[in-house]
């Protein structure tokens, strides 16, 4: 049984933001302080990723454990209207997978940061891991590809028969 009236619960749920959430701001402040520059909620990318780093071809999704069905204590389903919430969260999970698949097909890297990983006990390790991953992606994408030179690569200096 819900402790709030239906109207009160509706107001509470309507007040939940999808942009500029506290976990998202924590990630953004960390990235900016480390020199990473980004755009927010890029409208032309599938799923409007929370943070887009074009230089790294990377999209970061900062997901709430409840809304995206994370397997942690914060991701449990409510006891009231259980069937509705199960269907809603399953749709969210499917949409997340589809959007990340579409981004990967477009050549973008996708990183998901969960709300529970930004709690004070795990925050620093999570953010350092994020920065390490971004630097690793950049180095792998911009690495010099060594190709040994063979005799076939030299070719001819002039066209045959040109000096005749």
């Amino acid at each position: 049984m819900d402790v709030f009236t239906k109207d009160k619960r509706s107001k509470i749920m309507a007040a939940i933001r999808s942009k500029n959430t506290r976990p998202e701001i924590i990630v953004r402040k960390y990235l900016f302080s480390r020199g990473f520059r980004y755009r927010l909620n890029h409208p032309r990318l599938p799923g409007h990723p929370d943070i887009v780093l074009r230089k790294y071809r990377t999209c970061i999704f900062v997901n709430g454990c409840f809304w995206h069905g994370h397997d942690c204590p914060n991701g449990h389903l409510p006891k009231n209207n259980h069937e509705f919430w199960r269907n809603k969260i399953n749709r969210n999970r499917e949409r997340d997978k589809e959007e990340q698949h579409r981004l990967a097909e477009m050549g973008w890297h996708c990183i998901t940061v969960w709300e529970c990983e930004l709690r004070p006990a795990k925050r620093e390790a999570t953010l350092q891991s994020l920065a390490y991953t971004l630097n690793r992606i950049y180095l792998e994408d911009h690495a010099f590809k060594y190709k040994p030179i063979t005799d076939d690569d030299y070719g001819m200096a002039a066209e045959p028969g040109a000096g005749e």
Side-chain angles (χ1 to χ4, degrees):
M1 187 82 189
D2 198 358
V3 295
F4 296 112
T5 66
K6 192 169 184 168
D7 290 337
K8 177 68 174 172
R9 175 61 67 192
S10 180
K11 287 180 183 177
I12 290 171
M13 297 307 281
I16 296 173
R17 297 180 297 180
S18 64
K19 297 178 183 177
N20 298 323
T21 60
R22 182 180 294 160
E24 188 179 326
I25 290 171
I26 289 169
V27 173
R28 287 173 14 198
K29 282 184 176 182
Y30 180 84
L31 291 174
F32 193 86
S33 71
R34 299 299 185 275
F36 294 97
R37 298 300 178 250
Y38 50 82
R39 297 285 178 255
L40 301 177
N41 307 102
H42 197 290
R44 286 190 254 157
L45 291 176
H48 307 290
D50 297 319
I51 300 170
V52 177
L53 297 107
R54 286 185 58 206
K55 178 179 177 181
Y56 301 84
R57 300 256 327 143
T58 301
C59 298
I60 300 174
F61 294 91
V62 183
N63 288 349
C65 296
F66 172 75
W67 295 104
H68 296 271
H70 192 224
D71 295 328
C72 72
N74 300 329
H76 70 279
L77 292 173
K79 293 177 183 163
N80 291 354
N81 211 357
H82 185 78
E83 189 67 25
F84 167 80
W85 285 109
R86 188 169 52 80
N87 291 336
K88 179 171 183 53
I89 290 172
N90 285 338
R91 284 191 314 265
N92 288 350
R93 290 173 114 178
E94 289 300 317
R95 187 182 64 239
D96 291 344
K97 286 178 191 174
E98 180 184 316
E99 290 165 351
Q100 290 188 12
H101 182 70
R102 287 175 40 207
L103 285 165
E105 286 176 345
M106 296 169 65
W108 288 87
H109 302 278
C110 296
I111 299 173
T112 301
V113 178
W114 292 99
E115 176 185 21
C116 63
E117 294 172 346
L118 295 172
R119 301 244 182 248
K122 294 183 179 180
R123 182 179 300 161
E124 193 61 33
T126 300
L127 295 173
Q128 286 178 357
S129 175
L130 178 62
Y132 175 81
T133 302
L134 289 171
N135 287 321
R136 180 98 180 175
I137 287 170
Y138 182 81
L139 289 174
E140 287 178 5
D141 285 353
H142 294 84
F144 176 74
K145 307 289 191 269
Y146 175 73
K147 178 184 169 194
I149 298 175
T150 62
D151 291 336
D152 296 339
D153 292 337
Y154 285 108
M156 298 186 70
E159 294 292 324
E164 295 177 22

